[in-house]
Amino acid sequence: MKQLKYLLLAVVVVLSIVGCRKDVEVSFDKTAQEMEAQGGSVEIALKSNGEWSISTVADWFTVSPMSGNGDATLTISAEANITGEVRSAQITASTKDNTATLTVSQNAQEYYLTVTPREIQCGSDGGEFTVTVSSNVEWRISMPQWITSSVTEGSNDTTVTLSVAPIAGELAEPRSGDVVFGNLFSTGEALVVSDQIHVIQTVDPVLGIELTPKNLEFVCTGEAKTVVVSTQDIWTASVEGSWVNLSQIEGQGETEIIVTVDENPFYVERRTSVLFSTAGGVEAMLSIRQEASIDPHFLEASPLEIEFGKEGGERAITIACDTDWEFHLESNWLSLSQLSGTGDATVVLTAEQNLVAEPRAAEFYIKSGLLFRTFTVSQAAGDEPIVGSFEPDTLLVTYVGGIQHVQLSSNCSWQLQASEWIRLDATVNSGQGDASLDIIIDSNSDPEERVGYLKAVHNGQVLCTLVVVQEGKPNILETDIAELDVPFEGGEYVIQVTSNQAWGVVADVDWLHCHPESGFASGSFTITVDASSALRPRTGYVKLRGELGAQVMIRVNQH
């Protein structure tokens, strides 16, 4: 009986607790939220006395956070609406007892332009890439010189193929740039509508190459030995000397090569090398030495190192040889009394006077069969000062740029340095003495004049400087008329435009219409004037605005 009493008491307590529980409420501080057509984020207040969660069926906006306990601030983030139509969806907040609904709506953009993808990455080989354009306006494309496009302008939705040029030679450095799709002007107020793709072109990683072993020794009778080429790249081999043969001269990856040398018919040791080069430009050298034949053929010469003062003079060279010999000398200030002979001999080497205040040096050699000896000659500096000059010393060039010819006069060695928009032929960026130079001036897209320099430098000191002055890009925007008189019945009038830039057209009244609304360089557009039903004089204006800032106003009088 006592247990039954406690059981009835427990039931009463539970029922009283259940009867007193408060429902979990939820509500928004508003019932509707309008989003900007171009997208963005807004904050909404949510009130609750318990746990809640968010549900939504739209894919064009997000809500954060999606769940919580108690009061909270929600962030709604919407994408740009390029569908051309107004769209809406509902956000529902739920608890275990109640729900609340918020309607989210978004207007369509009047003008839009988006491109996909927003970024392109490629290697040094470049390539072609497809771009999707979503738009409801006319547009055009601007891009770096190393990128080309299947079209340069268009309208509405389409696909475009971008071609990225390969990186090659001395230009093998990473580069990046933006491909901009834009329509600068739309009907009514000037409205910038544009999107862009960032293009990144990297230089492919360079693969190394190893030789095992790097040196080979052969007996005079000839023999074959093995070399292992280790690389992940494509490789080729070039041999100096017809007495060395390789089992293969090209391949890819790790390869075992048989190196075979012929018998040495000469009486001194001989040396040569095999150059292994990868497609990525990495090199490795295999050195080969073969011992001399036992037959005592010989070639000796003395001295092998010769010095002259600035005044020049003569030096005797003693030759010891048991067969024919010949000198190989290429110099404009050295000469030999005898270039070839047989057996022992004495030859006189003559050096001219050095007039330039710079020391000079040369090498030449004597050869007998495959035997040779190398001579090193040096001469002290003369008294004449080092000089250099450009002709002309100043260049005035148009904004278009192009190739310019200049003459460098000098009596010493030199290297060329230039401003970044002045480019040099890589084969003539250093030299000695006089030279004819071709320099390439890039076009100047800036309206401001710019000044650059080409310098000839000797041992860190500037010999002479060429000053290059390039005009800025002219700001040209003109029309063939400044004022237009139109009868009450209206009409169409073609306006001729002279320009060197992109331009857009805007009318300030609704009875004037322009087509097309934009253009590039010289061209034309048509002004259409509506008929006037009021038969009262009225005036409107059509404004042309160029991308470099120029403006032209055309007054239209209807009477």
Side-chain angles (χ1 to χ4, degrees), residues 457-523:
V457 178
H458 171 75
N459 290 339
Q461 300 297 317
V462 177
L463 289 172
C464 52
T465 300
L466 170 68
V467 180
V468 181
V469 181
Q470 186 177 31
E471 67 178 3
K473 185 176 181 180
N475 193 355
I476 300 174
L477 182 64
E478 300 172 352
T479 58
D480 59 340
I481 63 171
E483 191 167 358
L484 189 63
D485 290 319
V486 181
F488 285 123
E489 57 269 23
E492 293 186 352
Y493 302 87
V494 177
I495 309 300
Q496 299 296 327
V497 180
T498 302
S499 179
N500 67 338
Q501 58 193 277
W503 46 267
V505 186
V506 177
D508 71 339
V509 292
D510 59 5
W511 50 273
L512 293 178
H513 313 281
C514 302
H515 182 79
E517 296 172 350
S518 62
F520 184 80
S522 297

Side-chain angles (χ1 to χ4, degrees), residues 74 100 229 331-332 337 390:
L74 305 183
V229 181
S331 173
N332 57 6
S337 60
F390 283 112

Side-chain angles (χ1 to χ4, degrees), residues 37-53:
Q38 64 269 25
S41 299
V42 296
E43 291 184 344
I44 300 295
L46 179 145
K47 293 186 177 296
S48 179
N49 60 344
E51 292 185 351
W52 50 266
S53 62

Side-chain angles (χ1 to χ4, degrees), residues 441-459:
I441 310 297
D442 292 341
S443 62
N444 187 4
S445 59
D446 196 290
E448 297 296 326
E449 176 184 274
R450 61 182 177 182
V451 178
Y453 303 93
L454 174 65
K455 298 179 181 180
V457 178
H458 171 75
N459 290 339

